[in-house]
């Protein structure tokens, strides 16, 4: 005789695949035992659906009639059988959910194949559940989402279609980073760094101001691209670093326009580039030419005349180029030609 | 055009409002469903940073605050599985195309492999080791000429649909005008000690 011992209540909540039907069985009456080796619990992770709280019947063995089982309900037809080919897939998978084999009408196989066999089928396949799926992001779903998001977007001004135009109107570039990752903390300390880049040609600087600015910034300036980069990372917040970078730019600009009293003591060694006037090279060439033309005699106007000669000017250009740009094939050739012309060789 | 936009906004406002109130399960038209999920997710945020978005879910307001302009937005996604990144790239580029964002370059930087060689046994057996490696695959999507509002909308959409196990790094390059206080020097260049500002 099968009976359930007194004091046992089994709550058996069963959940079908997509409809949430909760079935509570309060068992104090005797049930006819249907011989089954194990009771399968219908586990599913789908959201907003019922809770699966299945308690197995007490008693591990089914052999003795003291612990009868609930009759096992046959699993219904999988939903895939009832799906039409032209159904709306976005309502089947509206949000990110794990893979449900009975909701996806595709004959997917995944996993390492058995020897001489094929990868396992999708039913009961853990590999398909583990991997993130994009079933909720089909092109149709993406288009619908974008349609809904379009009112929040703004258009790019059509006048700024090329980069040079953007640089001309908006020369200050602010670069910052944001991070999205999973972990114990959502914060990333690298997100507070702000990098400000600006081309010096877009600032209102005169000659002295530009040279002073270059001396003030030092390594932050790149000669090839004429870009000054200020990197601010000393403050804890990005807004603070941005304010600090703008403040630095302002201070640099105004300081470079100031002329201090001690700047008059600038020596030849402090000069950024080579100046031919009042240099040993000029003195040497003038003296050489004076000695070559002994007949004309000494005098300031004779020197000035010499300096205005074309070959002397060419010599000046070649020496300046050599000193500023360094030695190269063309600059050496130019120097050679200039020297030959000056010395009439 | 303005009238049309106003009418459209009103329509959307009614629509959004009704969707917020109702607790009906999404069975009917899928357009309703799509809008519902996204709007609920967007509107559940309590604050937006830029001008065109509003915290109250009733209408879109346009303020006078000028929008930021991003010359370049670079999205670098990292993950352990290349197939997941492939799918994500397809999703991101399609979303950008639908929203009218200019995707200038999509590239795949080289993967990083971090290897470690550890002792196989808990105690002694130094000659027997076991080796593990962690592979990180990358995908780089570069967007150019995008406004602040659009960037925020797009990035939020992308980030909400970021798969598990994938990390993202966004580098934004915004462009600004030269500030007014830098246009002209404060004082004429005189060779005297000027007091600081």
């Amino acid at each position: 005789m099968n009976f359930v011992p007194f004091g046992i209540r089994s709550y058996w909540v069963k959940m079908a695949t997509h409809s949430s039907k909760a079935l509570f069985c309060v068992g104090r009456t005797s049930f006819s035992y249907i011989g089954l080796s194990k009771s399968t619990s219908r586990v599913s992770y789908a959201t907003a659906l019922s809770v699966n709280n299945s308690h197995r019947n007490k008693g591990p063995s089914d052999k003795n009639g003291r612990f009868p089982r609930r009759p096992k309900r046959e699993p219904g037809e999988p939903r895939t059988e009832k799906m039409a080919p032209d159904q709306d897939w976005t309502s089947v998978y509206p949000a990110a959910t794990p893979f449900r084999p009975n909701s996806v009408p595709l004959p997917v196989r995944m996993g390492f194949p058995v020897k001489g066999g094929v990868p396992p089928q999708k039913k009961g396949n853990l590999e398909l559940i583990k991997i993130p799926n994009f079933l909720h992001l089909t092109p149709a779903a993406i288009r619908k989402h974008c349609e809904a998001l379009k009112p929040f977007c703004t258009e790019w001004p059509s006048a700024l279609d090329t980069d040079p135009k953007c640089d001309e109107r908006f020369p200050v570039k602010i670069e910052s980073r944001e991070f999205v990752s999973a972990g114990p903390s959502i914060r990333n300390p690298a997100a507070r760094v702000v990098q400000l880049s600006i081309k010096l040609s877009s600032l209102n600087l005169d000659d002295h101001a530009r040279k002073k600015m270059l001396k003030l910034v030092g390594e932050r300036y790149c000669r090839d691209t004429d870009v000054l980069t200020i990197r601010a990372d000393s403050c804890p917040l990005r807004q603070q670093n941005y304010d600090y970078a703008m403040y630095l730019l302002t201070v640099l600009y105004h300081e470079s326009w100031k002329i201090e009293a001690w700047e008059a003591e600038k020596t030849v060694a402090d000069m950024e580039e080579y100046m031919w006037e009042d240099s040993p090279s000029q003195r040497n060439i003038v003296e050489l030419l004076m000695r070559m033309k002994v007949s004309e005699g000494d005098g300031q106007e004779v020197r000035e005349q010499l300096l205005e000669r074309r070959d002397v000017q060419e010599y000046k250009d070649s020496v300046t180029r050599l000193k500023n740009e360094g030695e190269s094939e063309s600059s050496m050739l130019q120097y050679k030609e200039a020297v030959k012309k000056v010395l009439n060789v | 055009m303005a009238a049309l936009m106003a009418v459209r906004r009103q329509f959307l406002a009614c629509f959004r409002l009704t969707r917020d109130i109702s607790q009906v399960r999404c069975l009917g038209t899928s357009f309703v469903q799509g809008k519902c999920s996204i709007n609920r997710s967007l509107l559940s945020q309590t604050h937006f940073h830029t001008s065109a978005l509003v915290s109250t879910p009733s209408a879109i307001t346009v303020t006078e605050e000028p929008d930021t302009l991003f010359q370049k937005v670079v999205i670098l996604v990292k993950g352990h599985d290349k197939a997941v990144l492939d799918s994500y790239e397809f999703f991101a580029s399609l979303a950008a195309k639908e929203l009218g964002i200019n995707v200038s370059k999509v590239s795949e930087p080289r993967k990083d492999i971090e290897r470690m060689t550890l002792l196989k046994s808990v105690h002694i057996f130094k000659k027997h080791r076991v080796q593990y490696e962690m592979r990180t695959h990358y995908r780089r999507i570069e967007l150019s000429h995008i406004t602040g509002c659009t960037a925020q909308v797009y990035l939020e959409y992308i980030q909400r649909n970021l798969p598990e196990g994938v990390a993202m790094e966004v580098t934004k390059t915004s462009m600004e005008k030269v500030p007014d206080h830098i246009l002209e020097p404060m004082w004429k260049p005189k060779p005297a000690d000027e007091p600081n500002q």
Side-chain angles (χ1 to χ4, degrees), chain A residues 83-100:
Chain A
M83 280 179 176
D86 56 350
Q87 68 168 339
D88 179 36
W89 180 254
T90 56
S91 44
V92 179
Y93 261 85
T97 10
F99 183 82
R100 289 185 292 245

Side-chain angles (χ1 to χ4, degrees), chain A residues 85-137:
Chain A
D86 56 350
Q87 68 168 339
D88 179 36
W89 180 254
T90 56
S91 44
V92 179
Y93 261 85
T97 10
F99 183 82
R100 289 185 292 245
N102 288 337
S103 296
V104 178
L106 298 169
V108 192
R109 288 182 171 271
M110 182 148 165
F112 194 78
V114 184
K115 187 171 177 183
V118 292
Q121 58 175 349
K122 66 178 181 176
K123 204 155 149 54
N125 195 331
L126 192 62
E127 295 295 318
L128 282 165
I129 300 175
K130 285 195 298 195
I131 197 77
N133 66 59
F134 283 78
L135 292 164
H136 59 293
L137 291 174

Side-chain angles (χ1 to χ4, degrees), chain A residues 18-20 47-49 88-91 94-97 110 130-134 136-157 160-182 196-198 202-206 208 238 242 246-247 249-251 253-262, chain B residues 8 12 16 25-31 33-35 37-39 42-43 52-54 60 67-71 78 81 83-85 87-88 90-92 94-100 145-150 153-155 157 159 161-179 181-197:
Chain A
H18 69 285
S19 60
S20 57
T47 54
L49 297 174
D88 179 36
W89 180 254
T90 56
S91 44
T97 10
M110 182 148 165
K130 285 195 298 195
I131 197 77
N133 66 59
F134 283 78
H136 59 293
L137 291 174
T138 50
I142 298 172
R143 279 189 199 105
K144 280 176 192 146
H145 297 160
C146 292
E147 276 303 310
L149 292 174
K150 268 247 160 66
F152 294 94
C153 300
T154 51
E155 261 187 34
W156 181 262
L160 295 169
D161 40 357
T162 56
D163 271 341
K165 281 191 204 168
C166 296
D167 292 341
E168 182 198 321
R169 295 292 183 132
F170 299 92
V172 177
K173 315 271 184 237
I174 310 285
E175 198 180 297
S176 59
R177 294 194 291 178
E178 288 172 3
F179 298 88
V180 179
S181 66
L196 188 148
S197 326
I198 182 168
S202 53
L203 287 176
N204 181 18
L205 291 169
D206 72 348
H208 159 264
R238 191 191 294 156
Y242 169 72
M246 296 304 277
Y247 161 74
L249 183 65
T250 314
V251 161
Y253 179 77
H254 291 299
E255 284 293 316
S256 60
W257 271 98
K258 269 199 223 170
I259 302 183
E260 306 276 352
W262 43 262
Chain B
R8 189 168 166 229
L12 287 168
R16 211 169 291 122
R25 254 191 97 190
C26 309
L27 294 168
T29 55
S30 54
F31 168 70
Q33 168 55 45
K35 201 161 166 61
S37 60
I38 288 304
N39 276 344
L42 273 175
L43 298 167
L53 305 177
V54 153
I60 302 173
D67 207 356
T68 36
L69 295 169
F70 291 112
Q71 195 170 25
K78 318 181 212 186
D81 199 330
V84 170
L85 292 180
S87 302
Y88 191 74
F90 172 78
F91 155 66
L94 185 61
K97 206 159 62 122
E98 290 292 317
L99 288 176
H145 292 190
I146 179 170
T147 56
C149 294
T150 316
V153 165
Y154 178 72
L155 283 173
Y157 180 50
Q159 284 165 8
N161 290 311
L162 202 64
E164 306 81 24
V166 173
M168 183 196 278
E169 181 185 321
V170 179
T171 309
K172 292 180 180 168
T173 308
S174 78
M175 38 193 226
E176 289 176 16
K177 287 195 155 104
V178 176
H181 41 270
I182 302 186
L183 287 175
E184 288 293 325
M186 270 174 57
W187 39 69
K188 294 284 179 292
K190 275 182 207 161
D193 280 339
E194 302 285 341
N196 269 352
Q197 178 193 359

Side-chain angles (χ1 to χ4, degrees), chain B:
Chain B
M1 186 59 198
L4 196 67
M5 281 300 288
V7 163
R8 189 168 166 229
R9 277 185 204 147
Q10 282 300 313
F11 167 70
L12 287 168
C14 310
F15 217 73
R16 211 169 291 122
L17 209 52
T18 47
R19 286 273 46 115
D20 263 346
I21 292 168
S22 65
Q23 292 294 320
V24 175
R25 254 191 97 190
C26 309
L27 294 168
T29 55
S30 54
F31 168 70
V32 160
Q33 168 55 45
K35 201 161 166 61
C36 173
S37 60
I38 288 304
N39 276 344
R40 240 188 237 134
S41 62
L42 273 175
L43 298 167
S44 60
Q45 275 221 334
T46 50
H47 54 273
F48 295 103
H49 303 293
T50 57
S51 52
L53 305 177
V54 153
S55 52
T56 57
S58 51
I60 302 173
T61 54
V62 180
T63 58
E64 292 305 316
E65 190 194 320
D67 207 356
T68 36
L69 295 169
F70 291 112
Q71 195 170 25
K72 201 166 63 161
V73 172
V74 176
I75 302 170
L76 181 74
V77 266
K78 318 181 212 186
H80 292 300
D81 199 330
K82 199 155 166 283
V84 170
L85 292 180
D86 286 337
S87 302
Y88 191 74
E89 178 206 316
F90 172 78
F91 155 66
S93 37
L94 185 61
K97 206 159 62 122
E98 290 292 317
L99 288 176
I101 298 171
N102 178 22
V103 177
S104 53
K105 199 166 66 153
V106 176
S107 64
E108 190 184 339
R110 266 195 110 172
K111 64 177 186 273
D112 282 338
I113 306 181
E114 188 188 328
R115 294 196 174 99
M116 43 184 70
T117 311
L118 310 169
L119 296 174
K120 198 188 246 186
S121 168
V122 158
H123 180 57
I124 52 171
F125 302 122
K126 190 72 173 235
K127 281 195 277 185
H128 302 91
R129 312 257 180 148
V130 71
Q131 289 185 317
Y132 296 106
E133 69 177 25
M134 283 183 290
R135 295 184 177 191
T136 310
H137 301 268
Y138 299 95
R139 215 41 81 96
R140 191 168 186 267
I141 301 172
E142 209 172 289
L143 318 168
S144 63
H145 292 190
I146 179 170
T147 56
C149 294
T150 316
Q152 187 173 3
V153 165
Y154 178 72
L155 283 173
E156 184 170 345
Y157 180 50
I158 291 284
Q159 284 165 8
R160 277 188 192 268
N161 290 311
L162 202 64
E164 306 81 24
V166 173
M168 183 196 278
E169 181 185 321
V170 179
T171 309
K172 292 180 180 168
T173 308
S174 78
M175 38 193 226
E176 289 176 16
K177 287 195 155 104
V178 176
D180 291 333
H181 41 270
I182 302 186
L183 287 175
E184 288 293 325
M186 270 174 57
W187 39 69
K188 294 284 179 292
K190 275 182 207 161
D193 280 339
E194 302 285 341
N196 269 352
Q197 178 193 359

